[in-house]
Every structure is written in C-alpha cells, then in structure tokens.
Amino acid sequence: MKTLLLLILTVWLNIESSSGTLSSSCSYAPSKWCSSLDSAIQCGVLKQCLEANFTRSHQKEDRIEVGLYYESLCPGCRGFFTEMLFPTWILLQEIMTVNLVPYGNAQEKPDGQKYKYECQHGETECLGNMIETCLMNMTDYSGLIIFCMESSPDVIKSAQSCLEIYDPKLTWDSVMSCVKGDQGNQLMHQNALETGALKPPHQYVPWITINGEHTEDLQNKAMSSLFTLVCGMYKGTKPEACGGAKRHYKSYCHNE
C-alpha cells in the first residue's frame, strides 16, 4: 500500500509541479519543507522530498556526531561555528548530526534549589549561553537562530530579531521566560554536567568531539576542515557533496 501511494504521489507531482515553482501558499521555512506530506505538497517540493527521504532510508551507517562545547561570546567559538561547523552542517546534514553545548569555561555554584553561573566573558556571555540553551529546547530552528546570533556584530542584541526571522511563531517573551526561570536554570545545569563529564576534561574552547571522542588529532582536523573529516569518517554511501553519486532530480526555476 505504501509503495502504491508513493507511486501515485510521484506521478501526481510530475504533473502538478513540473515547472519546479515553489507554491505561493507555502508557509514553511525551507528546512521544514520535507517535515511532512502536507508541507511538501503545500510548498510544491514533494518530488524533491521523496527523493531525499529515499536516499536517507538507504543510509545504513550511523551519522557522524559532531559535539561543540563552546561559549556564546568566545571569539574562537564564534569563528568555528559560523565559518566551519554551520556550513558543513548544511552541506552534510544527511550524514552528520550536531550537539551544541553552550557552557565552556563557566563555573556553576549551588544557590538553594537553583544554580548561579559565572562566565569567562562576563554576565553577558551567561545570558547568551542561556538564550541559546533555551532556544535548543524550544524550537527546531535553533541552529539557524544561533547561527544568526553568532554571525552578527552583537550576539545578544540580535537574538530577538534572529528569532523573529526564523521562527516568528515562537515569542521572545516565552524564550525569556525560560531564560529567567527554573527551566533555563535546569537546562544550563545539564550543560554543566555534560561539560564536566568530558573525557579527557576540556582544556579550552571550542572543544570538539567526534562521535563522543576528543583527541588533539581530531580537534586539529576539525578546525582545519570539518567537511573533509566528516566525509572521510562516514562509512556509508557518500553523499554528492562528498564526491558520491549525483542525484537524478534537480529543481530549477525556469524563465517563463
């Protein structure tokens, strides 16, 4: 039955969207076009989504997990995230997952039933760490929002506008409620525990792990070319970006 439905949908799309034009009724961001059948149809990209899902379903190897232990205002962290990690993540999302842990060299101190934090670059960095932590718990667009923040001249001042661009349905008030409340405090505590459990213990940030492992060799390779490292380590069928077989279907917006 599923095979028949897939065939019907594919034939339907070949007829309905042969022009490759994005539907004007699409209300989803590009990263969510393939999140459901409804979104794919509404946005006129069902054929692309079917092909992408077919490719993912045939990937038998585990994805490469890249862990980044960082601080929101650390210059080296910002440079690595915006210039190396995020572009690689976009290109290799089929074979790569990312675990972001904003904490780094912060210090945690018990304060009754909660915790207080001192950050390497001051209270503003603690705020940035907390905003990004809450975003990761509240929206599927957190990677895009954090990239927007970290690539801007002012990480904190850009946070609200970045949120409004990538997830306008999530209110800034709800994010700040998390930041100032028990939820954010507990989420940051988990970041502290995860960072403190690193083996070997982190000595600096950005601190990079690959599939949960950190060595100086992996760190240096990731800092030099994370793209090359992930492509080389992935054991399954290489995606086109890594030099694998080209996909058969391409979508273009033709001149009419």
Side-chain angles (χ1 to χ4, degrees), residues 145-194:
I145 299 168
I146 293 171
F147 169 75
C148 177
M149 291 170 58
E150 294 292 340
S151 60
S152 69
D154 192 310
V155 174
I156 306 302
K157 288 183 178 180
S158 67
Q160 183 173 356
S161 59
C162 289
L163 173 67
E164 291 170 351
I165 291 171
Y166 290 107
D167 193 355
K169 295 180 180 179
L170 179 62
T171 68
W172 181 245
D173 286 344
S174 65
V175 174
M176 291 310 294
S177 179
C178 170
V179 168
K180 298 177 181 179
D182 293 343
Q183 182 185 21
N185 196 262
Q186 285 301 312
L187 289 171
M188 188 57 64
H189 177 56
Q190 294 304 312
N191 286 356
L193 293 177
E194 185 174 347

Side-chain angles (χ1 to χ4, degrees), residues 31-211:
S31 61
K32 288 297 177 182
W33 287 348
C34 296
S35 61
S36 69
L37 181 61
D38 288 342
S39 63
I41 292 174
Q42 184 183 125
C43 297
V45 291
L46 182 57
K47 190 169 184 178
Q48 298 95 315
C49 293
L50 290 173
E51 183 187 55
N53 288 334
F54 177 81
T55 301
R56 294 190 187 100
S57 69
H58 284 68
Q59 289 174 338
K60 298 180 180 179
E61 298 293 332
D62 292 335
R63 297 184 183 190
I64 304 299
E65 182 188 88
V66 178
L68 177 62
Y69 296 80
Y70 72 106
E71 300 165 347
S72 61
L73 299 187
C74 162
C77 300
R78 296 180 66 188
F80 176 75
F81 180 80
T82 60
E83 298 175 15
M84 185 71 72
L85 177 60
F86 190 79
T88 302
W89 192 2
I90 293 297
L91 289 170
L92 302 181
Q93 57 187 298
E94 294 178 9
I95 65 170
M96 171 182 169
T97 59
V98 173
N99 179 35
L100 298 177
V101 186
Y103 185 80
N105 298 321
Q107 298 293 320
E108 179 183 71
K109 297 180 180 180
D111 182 30
Q113 299 297 315
K114 298 183 180 181
Y115 301 91
K116 287 186 175 180
Y117 298 95
E118 295 181 1
C119 297
Q120 186 171 15
H121 300 93
E123 292 183 6
T124 304
E125 180 170 80
C126 283
L127 176 58
N129 291 347
M130 189 70 81
I131 291 172
E132 294 180 3
T133 295
C134 284
L135 286 170
M136 283 186 271
N137 192 63
M138 300 177 74
T139 173
D140 292 336
Y141 301 102
S142 59
L144 291 165
I145 299 168
I146 293 171
F147 169 75
C148 177
M149 291 170 58
E150 294 292 340
S151 60
S152 69
D154 192 310
V155 174
I156 306 302
K157 288 183 178 180
S158 67
Q160 183 173 356
S161 59
C162 289
L163 173 67
E164 291 170 351
I165 291 171
Y166 290 107
D167 193 355
K169 295 180 180 179
L170 179 62
T171 68
W172 181 245
D173 286 344
S174 65
V175 174
M176 291 310 294
S177 179
C178 170
V179 168
K180 298 177 181 179
D182 293 343
Q183 182 185 21
N185 196 262
Q186 285 301 312
L187 289 171
M188 188 57 64
H189 177 56
Q190 294 304 312
N191 286 356
L193 293 177
E194 185 174 347
T195 303
L198 285 168
K199 294 181 180 179
H202 85 282
Q203 301 171 12
Y204 48 79
V205 288
W207 187 262
I208 303 163
T209 62
I210 307 295
N211 294 334

Side-chain angles (χ1 to χ4, degrees), residues 230-250:
V230 173
C231 283
M233 290 187 67
Y234 184 65
K235 303 300 183 183
T237 302
K238 305 293 185 185
E240 184 178 348
C242 292
K246 293 184 178 180
R247 292 181 177 177
H248 299 295
Y249 182 78
K250 295 291 184 182

